[in-house]
Amino acid sequence: MFQTAPLQVPIPGGPELIIILLVLVLLFGANKIPKLARSTGQAMGEFQKGRQELNEELEEMKEGPDSDDSSTSSTASEDTDEAETESSTSE
């Protein structure tokens, strides 16, 4: 009965990109465009770092607390062994 057309957004071509660039220069000025691009890139980098850290935390939570506790306890026992060895060597 009813057919729906998919939502299509046209990709701007050469003339449209030139007009967009001119509007940006008029709005922000030629000196501020590189600063704006730099700050946008830094914000995207921070966002990606945050997303990566969140993914790592989620992976750690999936693995479960058992694997974290065993690695921590083995490291702690190794540290005490090293401390005992150093104290006996210094005497």
Side-chain angles (χ1 to χ4, degrees):
M1 287 191 199
F2 294 106
Q3 291 182 343
T4 58
L7 181 62
Q8 295 180 356
V9 179
I11 299 172
E16 290 89 0
L17 288 176
I18 292 173
I19 292 172
I20 291 171
L21 258 170
L22 288 174
V23 169
L24 286 174
V25 168
L26 288 175
L27 287 176
F28 298 107
N31 294 334
K32 293 199 178 192
I33 290 178
K35 293 177 186 177
L36 181 66
R38 189 177 306 118
S39 65
T40 303
Q42 288 175 347
M44 289 177 61
E46 290 295 323
F47 177 76
Q48 289 176 348
K49 283 182 188 177
R51 190 182 71 195
Q52 183 180 8
E53 289 174 2
L54 181 64
N55 285 339
E56 290 172 359
E57 288 179 17
L58 290 174
E59 288 296 323
E60 289 176 6
M61 290 176 70
K62 283 182 184 178
E63 291 173 1
D66 296 338
S67 62
D68 291 340
D69 292 339
S70 63
S71 65
T72 310
S73 63
S74 65
T75 307
S77 64
E78 290 172 2
D79 291 341
T80 56
D81 290 342
E82 289 176 9
E84 289 173 2
T85 306
E86 289 177 4
S87 64
S88 64
T89 310
S90 63
E91 292 176 359

